Amino acid sequence: MSEPSIFFEDVNEKQGTFHRRIFLMGGLTALGIFALGGQLALLQIVQGGKYKRLSAANQFNFRVVPPPRGKILDRNGNVIAGNRPSFRVLIIRNEIDDLDDTLDQISYVLPQVQDNRRRIVRDINQSQRFVPTVVAADLTWEEFSRVNLFAAEIPGVQAVMDEIRVYHYGGAFSHVVGYVSKISEKDLEAEGENPDPLLLHPGFRIGKQGVEKAFDKQLRGVAGAQKIEVNARGNIVAEDPDGTRPPTPGEDITLTLDAEVQARALEVFEQDSGSAVLLNIHTGEILCMVSAPSFDPNLFVSGISSKAYKLLNEYERRPLLDKAIGSTFAPGSTFKMATALSFLDYGIDPNEKVVCRGSYRFGNRTFRCHGVHGSVDMRHALKYSCDTYFYHICNRPGVDRIAAMAHKLGLGELFDLEIEGQKSGLVPTTEWKRSYFDGTRNRPKDPKWHLGETLSVAIGQGYTTVSALQLAVYVSRIANGGKAVTPHLIKKIGAVDKDFDFKPLGIPPEHIQIVRDGMEMVSNDADGTAFRNSQLNLGDMKMAGKTGTAQVINYDRAGTRKATQWKNKDHGLFVCYAPVDNPRYAMAVIVQHGIAGGRFAAPKAREIMKVALLKDPELQARIVAPPPPEPVEAAETAPPEVESTEVAPESNEYIPPVP
């Protein structure tokens, strides 16, 4: 049996291990304290400014203050589109915990919120969390006051007063001025990667049509900012006036339009469909550009219901369509001045006569005239609107020369108008037909131009289509003696006026005068096609014009010239200028499916033109001036004091002595 071993523990070794542990722990602690101190130094010294700003950001908020949108004025300073106060309730999603509970509380104060709850929830879900959403808009003062009593107790709810767009003339300017509406995702994308913060404001509206759209950025202005102090719940505690930047209002836009003329134009159309455009023939200023029937743009500002929009969109007379520039029609006989000028340019004698027996035989087809006019020259062909005259001569100059003259006068052209939506229409040529009807599956018709087609073009039918704006420019260039006047809508932006200078078209004045003679006969000879409805009754002031009736359906196929359905009736057109002796204004009126220009378009043109003439200061002075005194005749029984055989100095005629 072996002896047990005895082991002795070394006290110094145990103490050394303890010291090593203390040293290690102390080092780690010192390292931690050093790191913590360094981090504190980094936060307080190096990054102190950053966190000070973040702290201030939590304490202060900057809210976008939308600027007042610029006004749109007529030429006389009347406000067409302005702003009015609007009370609304907003909800901020990131400041509420339970959306349903918040909406329940608001519904208790505003019962209408419950009816729009689905729309509100959709808008909140589609918007960014920090962007307020409109819960209720255009509140009455009583509703706004009631909401203010409870708004402080409902988290994330604000009752604010903003401005909303208002259109004072309703539908009179709806197409040309347009309207504003809530910004869409498509609009936001069009602004680029860094859109203006103003676009996210719930009260902001963007121009959607017409002048509102074309000059949206000028009208929009520059947003301001309001610096406010908030508590931990986001409620406003105070406002810091030193940090607040006021908004810059948008610029005002002054139009060339005249509110009274425009309103009268819409009034005379009543329930008819069509358009009217009136120009100053020397400046190109558009005094009137109406499309009828119209719509109230105020419906679109706060958001139109789908049911109301559907009614407007599906109505056969198309109130949402701008028929002045966005629709084209066959010009009918209003085109004949262009045809006549092409004849003169080709060298046709205006005194050459053509016998009209009511129709014209060409090839194997008979082209009808609307009357039997006998022997007519160019002036009388315009006066009676004799188709036969133009059928007989048109193929001498040919369709290409007719088209060239029409384009020179503004037909088939797009103008540098300040708003979008123009359609060019069509004045056909042989080259157009050759390139368009190429015999392919989609264009199977004959690409060759046939001489019989020129007959239709010569009287404004066939492939020919134009807009009301083009017709107004066309007759303006005739009335002003052949200057290339172009239309414009903007008189000035802010305080800057626009200026224009127009060059001659190169049409001989004597040619212009021949067609003007014919137009004067149309409106002022007792047997002219528009005599009955062209009398202004403004003293000695007269109007010159030209009627037009454009087919919508083929009479031969329909078997009658009298359609019963509205959509199949002929269009009625009338173009005119006044005064005859010193032209100032020109006009085009199209009555869609209006049957006859002389009966239905001319009376509308007369009433609109009268307002423009009466509002012109120079012409008004002429209208109200007393007539010149009639010469006083010598009494028959009073013998002359001295018999004389002298020659009167002004006439060089011999005056015999009185017996």
Side-chain angles (χ1 to χ4, degrees):
M1 170 173 193
S2 60
E3 295 182 0
S5 300
I6 300 175
F7 296 92
F8 295 94
E9 190 174 277
D10 190 345
V11 174
N12 291 330
E13 183 181 353
K14 184 176 182 181
Q15 188 174 3
T17 302
F18 175 76
H19 286 166
R20 286 194 299 272
R21 290 178 179 175
I22 290 294
F23 179 79
L24 182 60
M25 292 178 63
L28 291 173
T29 302
L31 183 62
I33 293 172
F34 179 78
L36 181 61
Q39 184 65 25
L40 289 174
L42 178 66
L43 294 174
Q44 294 183 4
I45 299 173
V46 180
Q47 296 182 336
K50 171 185 175 182
Y51 288 101
K52 185 177 181 180
R53 290 192 298 271
L54 291 174
S55 175
N58 289 330
Q59 181 183 4
F60 295 97
N61 280 343
F62 286 90
R63 293 189 174 175
V64 174
V65 180
R69 191 171 177 86
K71 297 187 290 292
I72 300 176
L73 313 170
D74 85 330
R75 64 186 300 109
N76 301 309
N78 298 308
V79 179
I80 299 169
N83 307 299
R84 63 174 176 82
S86 175
F87 302 112
R88 62 180 69 198
V89 177
L90 309 178
I91 189 170
I92 305 174
R93 184 69 177 90
N94 64 344
E95 294 182 7
I96 62 175
D97 298 324
D98 190 334
L99 177 59
D100 289 332
D101 181 59
T102 301
L103 291 177
D104 288 340
Q105 294 182 64
I106 301 174
S107 299
Y108 178 76
V109 183
L110 294 173
Q112 64 264 38
V113 171
Q114 189 63 31
D115 298 333
N116 298 320
R117 190 164 183 143
R118 181 178 297 178
R119 188 270 304 168
I120 294 169
V121 172
R122 185 189 67 242
D123 290 349
I124 291 174
N125 291 333
Q126 290 177 351
S127 64
Q128 301 179 39
R129 291 184 63 85
F130 62 89
V131 177
T133 301
V134 177
V135 174
D138 235 7
L139 302 178
T140 64
W141 175 252
E142 291 76 13
E143 291 172 330
F144 182 69
S145 302
R146 190 164 65 246
V147 172
N148 269 314
L149 290 174
F150 298 95
E153 301 177 8
I154 308 176
V157 174
Q158 299 174 2
V160 298
M161 185 185 77
D162 288 325
E163 287 189 336
I164 194 170
R165 202 63 160 169
V166 60
Y167 299 96
H168 297 286
Y169 289 86
F173 293 90
S174 56
H175 296 95
V176 61
V177 169
Y179 58 88
V180 297
S181 188
K182 185 177 178 181
I183 188 167
S184 65
E185 288 294 331
K186 185 178 179 181
D187 297 326
L188 201 58
E189 291 173 3
E191 293 287 329
E193 295 182 359
N194 299 309
D196 188 341
L198 178 61
L199 304 181
L200 302 176
H201 191 277
F204 179 75
R205 296 292 184 268
I206 193 171
K208 294 285 188 174
Q209 186 178 314
V211 175
E212 291 277 28
K213 180 179 180 181
F215 295 91
D216 183 71
K217 292 193 175 176
Q218 291 91 331
L219 291 164
R220 186 186 302 178
V222 180
Q226 181 185 28
K227 186 179 181 182
I228 55 174
E229 185 178 357
V230 296
N231 59 20
R233 296 178 60 88
N235 295 324
I236 298 175
V237 175
E239 179 182 350
D240 181 5
D242 295 332
T244 297
R245 184 187 71 189
T248 303
E251 292 185 280
D252 292 343
I253 304 289
T254 302
L255 305 182
T256 61
L257 298 172
D258 187 298
E260 291 184 42
V261 180
Q262 188 87 355
R264 180 57 176 157
L266 186 62
E267 182 182 35
V268 300
F269 268 92
E270 297 180 341
Q271 299 302 313
D272 288 333
S273 177
S275 57
V277 180
L278 185 146
L279 297 179
N280 183 313
I281 66 170
H282 303 296
T283 66
E285 293 179 332
I286 302 175
L287 276 73
C288 167
M289 191 160 78
V290 159
S291 177
S294 190
F295 64 92
D296 187 356
N298 293 296
L299 296 173
F300 289 82
V301 177
S302 297
I304 188 171
S305 68
S306 57
K307 183 177 181 180
Y309 182 81
K310 184 178 179 181
L311 288 172
L312 289 172
N313 191 47
E314 294 182 355
Y315 181 42
E316 68 173 349
R317 303 200 178 190
R318 307 294 298 278
L320 297 177
L321 178 63
D322 187 351
K323 302 181 186 70
I325 63 174
S327 292
T328 57
F329 307 86
S333 293
T334 61
F335 189 82
K336 288 175 180 174
M337 285 88 73
T339 307
L341 286 169
S342 73
F343 291 176
L344 294 168
D345 181 64
Y346 182 70
I348 303 296
D349 182 355
N351 297 315
E352 177 183 338
K353 293 189 176 182
V354 173
V355 178
C356 172
R357 295 185 175 86
S359 63
Y360 183 77
R361 187 73 179 176
F362 188 85
N364 59 359
R365 180 180 171 186
T366 299
F367 291 80
R368 300 188 181 281
C369 189
H370 62 85
V372 178
H373 302 112
S375 179
V376 293
D377 59 12
M378 185 176 290
R379 292 179 177 85
H380 286 82
L382 291 171
K383 171 184 174 180
Y384 298 128
S385 198
C386 177
D387 293 343
T388 300
Y389 175 87
F390 294 94
Y391 292 152
H392 184 78
I393 299 177
C394 65
N395 272 310
R396 279 194 255 169
V399 68
D400 290 338
R401 189 178 290 268
I402 294 172
M405 181 59 67
H407 279 288
K408 184 180 287 190
L409 293 168
L411 301 179
E413 296 290 314
L414 291 176
F415 305 106
D416 189 17
L417 198 64
E418 296 87 347
I419 62 174
E420 299 176 352
Q422 288 186 79
K423 283 191 175 180
S424 62
L426 175 65
V427 180
T429 63
T430 55
E431 176 58 31
W432 167 82
K433 192 180 183 190
R434 183 163 47 249
S435 61
Y436 186 78
F437 294 119
D438 56 9
T440 62
R441 181 174 179 273
N442 294 326
R443 299 171 180 176
K445 292 186 179 180
D446 184 1
K448 180 182 177 182
W449 186 269
H450 298 277
L451 297 181
E453 294 175 308
T454 307
L455 275 64
S456 295
V457 172
I459 63 167
Q461 293 281 177
Y463 303 115
T464 313
T465 58
V466 300
S467 69
L469 177 65
Q470 290 172 359
L471 284 174
V473 172
Y474 159 69
V475 73
S476 294
R477 294 181 178 185
I478 292 173
N480 68 18
K483 290 184 179 179
V485 62
T486 56
H488 62 279
L489 280 166
I490 306 302
K491 192 171 181 65
K492 62 181 178 180
I493 300 174
V496 181
D497 283 286
K498 299 186 74 173
D499 190 24
F500 295 87
D501 183 31
F502 306 113
K503 297 179 180 179
L505 294 169
I507 303 174
E510 58 272 20
H511 292 183
I512 294 284
Q513 189 57 50
I514 290 169
V515 297
R516 285 176 55 172
D517 289 344
M519 293 178 69
E520 183 177 353
M521 294 162 71
V522 166
S523 293
N524 297 287
D525 285 7
D527 53 350
T529 56
F531 172 75
R532 184 182 299 276
N533 294 315
S534 293
Q535 304 308 300
L536 295 172
N537 297 319
L538 298 176
D540 63 347
M541 200 169 293
K542 296 179 181 180
M543 180 168 71
K546 182 70 189 77
T547 57
T549 301
Q551 282 182 230
V552 174
I553 59 173
N554 188 298
Y555 296 145
D556 294 334
R557 294 177 184 173
T560 178
R561 295 180 65 90
K562 294 183 179 180
T564 55
Q565 290 185 309
W566 177 80
K567 66 179 182 179
N568 292 331
K569 293 180 179 179
D570 295 341
H571 301 314
L573 303 95
F574 188 71
V575 297
C576 59
Y577 65 86
V580 165
D581 53 353
N582 185 20
R584 180 73 58 88
Y585 302 111
M587 187 175 191
V589 173
I590 299 175
V591 183
Q592 191 177 16
H593 307 297
I595 304 175
R599 288 172 53 197
F600 295 97
K604 291 175 171 55
R606 177 192 64 206
E607 295 304 312
I608 300 167
M609 181 67 80
K610 285 173 70 172
V611 178
L613 296 173
L614 286 167
K615 292 207 66 181
D616 188 298
E618 294 182 17
L619 299 180
Q620 186 184 71
R622 172 181 166 182
I623 293 168
V624 300
E630 296 181 2
V632 179
E633 296 181 1
E636 293 182 1
T637 56
E641 296 180 0
V642 180
E643 293 184 354
S644 174
T645 59
E646 293 183 357
V647 175
E650 53 275 358
S651 66
N652 293 325
E653 293 182 358
Y654 176 79
I655 302 177
V658 178

